[in-house]
Amino acid sequence: MKTICLLLLVPVLSIAQTSTVAPQAERIGDATIQRDHVTYESLQARIKALNDGGRRVADYHLSKAQCWLDASFHEYTRNDRSAFPQAAMGESEKLVAAMEQKAEPLPTETPLVNGAARLRPDLWERTHALKQGRGFACAAQRTACAEVELVHAGNEYNQQGWRHAKPYVQIAEDALGEAESAASRCEPAAVAAVATPVAASPAPAAQGPRTAQRRVLSVDLVFAFDRSDLAGIRHEAASRLDRLLAQARADGLRIESIRVVGHADRLNGTGNAAYNQRLSEKRAATVRAMLVDRGVPTGSIEVSAVGATQPVEACRERRSETVLEACLLPNRRVEVVVTTSSDRR
């Protein structure tokens, strides 16, 4: 029987990085932000082209490229001031370029970009065991994304501590549980489908079984100061949500659930925590209505609100009220996390 070692160590591929986004300090105009969005969309299109060319959605390297890109975009929309969005995008592009060039073997290591902390060694050990196991063909996608989320968590830990890292650790842990379950149920035909090169026109019997593949997408919608109505949503944020939903449809993804979490900044007319809680609830309700208006089933949407208790920007320096209001913009957000699934091979 032909076997493939999935943990070969290879030199770092020498691939020029062409996908770049503006440094955080320069993201102050719609034109700059739009250029960055075009960069994200271009790299997303290259990933889709690889799938259209025959590389499975559940392929380890294609999945990893997608998850690196998703992590980069998530932090970009949260106005991450560090090098993480660019570094994560760079890892995605390295894999995409290597797949486009049909390089072999492809790298399987997961670098701790931007100096991310290596949290939860036990979870890293589980990813290593999965990649060595015989059922890895059925667990590759979830394993790849778990690795990226562990790096994502390590980056958040360095920047803002455990509270901000915890959600991404949980995503990784959940994904690994699903990966281990999928690996234990993996049929021999699925393993053979990965070990055998894909023919130009494969017969149906040579294809692996259809399995539901999960993918998590996210975007933050930010509001103008003290606003909670639809018109108060920043235009570029609404456009990002529309692009996310359109991309999910184009990729044949089914929406399983959407988590909507409303937030507020610490500034308001009363300085009252209860006021901020109500404001965050109104913002979350506005985004829920926006999703329903775009055809999302109401039963799939889970809504919550946390007031001003989970800021992503502290903005502690002394500054004018106008500058402080602008600095706190990322805190006036509604987080939208979309869990999707696909039956594509």
Side-chain angles (χ1 to χ4, degrees), residues 13-32:
L13 295 171
S14 178
I15 295 172
Q17 187 169 327
T18 59
S19 299
T20 59
V21 294
Q24 189 278 336
E26 297 177 16
R27 300 175 206 156
I28 55 176
D30 288 346
T32 300

Side-chain angles (χ1 to χ4, degrees), residues 142-198:
R142 295 176 181 87
T143 304
C145 291
E147 290 175 311
V148 172
E149 288 303 327
L150 283 172
V151 179
H152 192 176
N155 184 73
E156 287 297 301
Y157 178 79
N158 283 352
Q159 291 190 53
Q160 302 186 78
W162 172 247
R163 183 167 64 85
H164 286 264
K166 183 172 65 173
Y168 306 110
V169 172
Q170 188 64 62
I171 291 171
E173 191 166 6
D174 290 347
L176 285 174
E178 294 170 0
E180 288 162 343
S181 177
S184 69
R185 301 190 309 269
C186 198
E187 297 292 335
V191 178
V194 174
T196 305
V198 178

Side-chain angles (χ1 to χ4, degrees), residues 35-196:
R35 282 197 301 272
D36 288 345
H37 286 187
V38 169
T39 300
Y40 278 108
E41 289 166 359
S42 175
L43 191 49
Q44 182 67 76
R46 291 168 67 185
I47 292 174
K48 182 177 183 298
L50 286 164
N51 176 238
D52 290 342
R55 191 172 283 271
R56 300 166 65 244
V57 167
D59 174 81
Y60 174 79
H61 295 96
L62 191 68
S63 298
K64 203 167 192 178
Q66 182 66 64
C67 291
W68 274 123
L69 186 62
D70 290 345
S72 170
F73 188 68
H74 176 70
E75 288 306 315
Y76 179 92
T77 60
R78 293 178 66 231
N79 208 27
D80 187 323
R81 296 172 181 269
S82 77
F84 182 82
Q86 182 62 66
M89 174 182 280
E91 292 303 316
S92 178
E93 186 175 28
K94 287 178 189 176
L95 290 170
V96 168
M99 288 183 281
E100 289 171 339
Q101 297 170 13
K102 301 187 181 340
E104 292 292 345
L106 291 169
T108 59
E109 67 272 13
T110 307
L112 297 171
V113 300
N114 197 38
R118 192 175 187 271
L119 302 178
R120 293 294 301 273
D122 61 310
L123 298 184
W124 284 107
E125 286 300 319
R126 287 165 64 182
T127 68
H128 179 76
L130 279 163
K131 289 194 285 189
Q132 289 186 316
R134 182 166 176 75
F136 182 61
C138 299
Q141 184 180 53
R142 295 176 181 87
T143 304
C145 291
E147 290 175 311
V148 172
E149 288 303 327
L150 283 172
V151 179
H152 192 176
N155 184 73
E156 287 297 301
Y157 178 79
N158 283 352
Q159 291 190 53
Q160 302 186 78
W162 172 247
R163 183 167 64 85
H164 286 264
K166 183 172 65 173
Y168 306 110
V169 172
Q170 188 64 62
I171 291 171
E173 191 166 6
D174 290 347
L176 285 174
E178 294 170 0
E180 288 162 343
S181 177
S184 69
R185 301 190 309 269
C186 198
E187 297 292 335
V191 178
V194 174
T196 305

